[in-house]
Amino acid sequence: MTTNVLILCTHNSARSVLSEGMLNHWAQRLGKDIKAFSAGSAPSGRINPYALQALSDAGIDTSAYRSKSWDEFVTEGAPEMRVVITVCDSAAAEQCPYWPGSPVKVHWGYADPSNGLEADKPQAFELTRQAIGYRMLQLAQLPLETMSNAELQRELDAISKS
């Protein structure tokens, strides 16, 4: 059975999109039955071009990516999420979305790579993609099909401290 993972941020334009791309990338490479989705509580309607470039540079096809509202994932027929990950950064005074459903939730905050000088953004996005990619690799390597939700919660909490 597919493990569905929803990654939430405020605008669904950078960090959540990087997370969706990296988790799906690792799942495919490892042959894991995991499907990542990303959404925002107040989607911007566009994906940051630096996020798309960082994913493209990592060999990920972003042609079907779009900025989505989390409303899409509460409608009838939407995939049931086992895991919800928030990736906003409350230290930057961002309001992280709260998701009321799903048995396993974790917060993996990342600073917004959009903040900063224009000349520094390509590197900021690439470094953020790498940091997110490492955690998504750790998630994808877990034996999700045999783990209880409580075991999965403990593992995700441990990953957040690494």
Side-chain angles (χ1 to χ4, degrees):
M1 186 163 118
T2 302
T3 297
N4 291 313
V5 179
L6 180 60
I7 301 126
L8 295 175
C9 201
T10 308
H11 302 296
N12 190 224
S13 64
R15 291 162 290 182
S16 54
V17 173
L18 291 169
S19 300
E20 174 186 9
M22 291 310 300
L23 183 53
N24 285 331
H25 169 77
W26 287 124
Q28 182 181 12
R29 294 270 314 262
L30 297 171
K32 296 293 195 114
D33 194 7
I34 302 168
K35 178 67 178 156
F37 303 88
S38 69
S41 57
S44 67
R46 70 175 209 42
I47 296 176
N48 190 301
Y50 291 109
L52 294 173
Q53 188 62 52
L55 290 169
S56 292
D57 289 349
I60 297 168
D61 177 13
T62 62
S63 60
Y65 284 34
R66 63 185 177 81
S67 181
K68 301 174 289 299
S69 171
W70 65 356
D71 294 342
E72 291 185 29
F73 298 97
V74 295
T75 61
E76 189 173 321
E80 184 176 333
M81 299 299 156
R82 182 175 184 198
V83 178
V84 173
I85 302 171
T86 52
V87 292
C88 41
D89 181 21
S90 57
E94 293 176 322
Q95 183 66 38
C96 284
Y98 169 74
W99 185 262
S102 203
V104 181
K105 299 178 195 173
V106 68
H107 175 72
W108 292 344
Y110 299 92
D112 187 349
S114 301
N115 296 336
L117 299 174
E118 192 68 25
D120 296 336
K121 288 183 182 181
Q123 182 180 19
F125 274 84
E126 175 56 20
L127 292 172
T128 302
R129 185 200 63 78
Q130 290 177 19
I132 286 171
Y134 179 65
R135 280 189 174 158
M136 294 303 163
L137 174 59
Q138 291 175 293
L139 167 56
Q141 290 175 323
L142 293 172
L144 299 172
E145 61 283 347
T146 63
M147 297 177 82
S148 70
N149 288 338
E151 290 168 328
L152 179 54
Q153 184 70 62
R154 280 192 298 277
E155 288 296 324
L156 295 182
D157 288 341
I159 290 170
S160 69
K161 294 175 177 80
S162 64

